[in-house]
Amino acid sequence: MRALIRRILLAIIIVVMTAGCVGGGPRLLLDEDPETGETASIGIVLPDTVAGRPYSLGGWVMCFDRPGSVTIDKVDLIRPSGGIVLQAFSSRLQSRTRAMLGNAEQPLTELEFPARSPAVTTPCSTRDHDGLLTELGLQYGKTGDRTARAEGVRVFYTSAGRQRTVDLDLDVQLCAPDDMDTEQCRDMYKELRSESKGDE
């Protein structure tokens, strides 16, 4: 009986130690302050978008809470509507000679992002030593010409053999040409028209 109890206890210890190792991998921080844990809520409204065209966005930095490496497996849209799709995602190291991507009507592969997103290897501690972090790039599109929207993205990544997720509060609206029914699109078009009149 004592031998059986010893075996059970040993098995429990092994399971606990294995779980600790799996859970001990780095955690990916996406556009998050590593000290406060605060993240920004970002809203992007693009005018005159049409079906089939790529709309690439970037400028969000990624790093981890401890040294290591993670692999991004996939990125899903949160609450998509209107036919919005995520055509591609990728990442690249920041550069001192190249600005981060804002937005562009080009595929990510034409904007110096690799076709296959490499492993992320930048700990957040490099920020304190003027180090370079990793930039996330997202390529949106839509299946029709009406206004389309996604309220965020969920990044699935593997760390120490375990799949985890991190969300980015990124509200993207791809406005149909002259959409005056959707509030954010209407406000943007009014602003664009007032700016164009001021330039005359």
Side-chain angles (χ1 to χ4, degrees), residues 72-75 86-91 108 115 117 136-139:
I72 298 177
D73 302 310
K74 67 174 182 172
V75 179
L86 188 68
Q87 297 174 337
F89 67 89
S90 188
S91 63
L108 288 172
S117 189
L136 175 67
L138 302 170
Q139 180 181 317

Side-chain angles (χ1 to χ4, degrees), residues 31-119:
D31 221 41
E32 178 181 329
D33 187 316
E35 293 181 5
T36 65
E38 293 180 356
T39 56
S41 179
I42 305 157
I44 296 175
V45 184
L46 298 180
D48 300 324
T49 63
V50 295
R53 188 173 297 168
Y55 299 96
S56 292
L57 304 173
W60 306 287
V61 293
M62 301 184 291
C63 59
F64 346 108
D65 58 353
R66 69 192 76 176
S69 173
V70 306
T71 302
I72 298 177
D73 302 310
K74 67 174 182 172
V75 179
D76 283 348
L77 297 178
I78 297 174
R79 290 181 290 280
S81 60
I84 194 168
V85 293
L86 188 68
Q87 297 174 337
F89 67 89
S90 188
S91 63
R92 65 183 182 185
L93 278 176
Q94 290 179 290
S95 169
R96 291 187 175 86
T97 60
R98 177 196 64 226
M100 288 201 292
L101 171 65
N103 70 80
E105 290 186 22
Q106 293 173 263
L108 288 172
T109 51
E110 294 179 8
L111 298 165
E112 300 183 56
F113 281 86
R116 185 175 175 85
S117 189

Side-chain angles (χ1 to χ4, degrees), residues 32-33 51-52 55 67-70 119-120 132 141 150 152 156 158 191 195 199:
E32 178 181 329
D33 187 316
Y55 299 96
S69 173
V70 306
V120 182
L132 300 175
F156 294 79
T158 300
E191 185 176 337
E195 287 176 359
D199 293 337

Side-chain angles (χ1 to χ4, degrees), residues 138-158:
L138 302 170
Q139 180 181 317
Y140 288 81
K142 59 182 186 176
T143 58
D145 286 337
R146 65 186 180 131
T147 293
R149 178 184 185 185
E151 297 181 32
V153 294
R154 176 162 295 144
V155 177
F156 294 79
Y157 67 97
T158 300

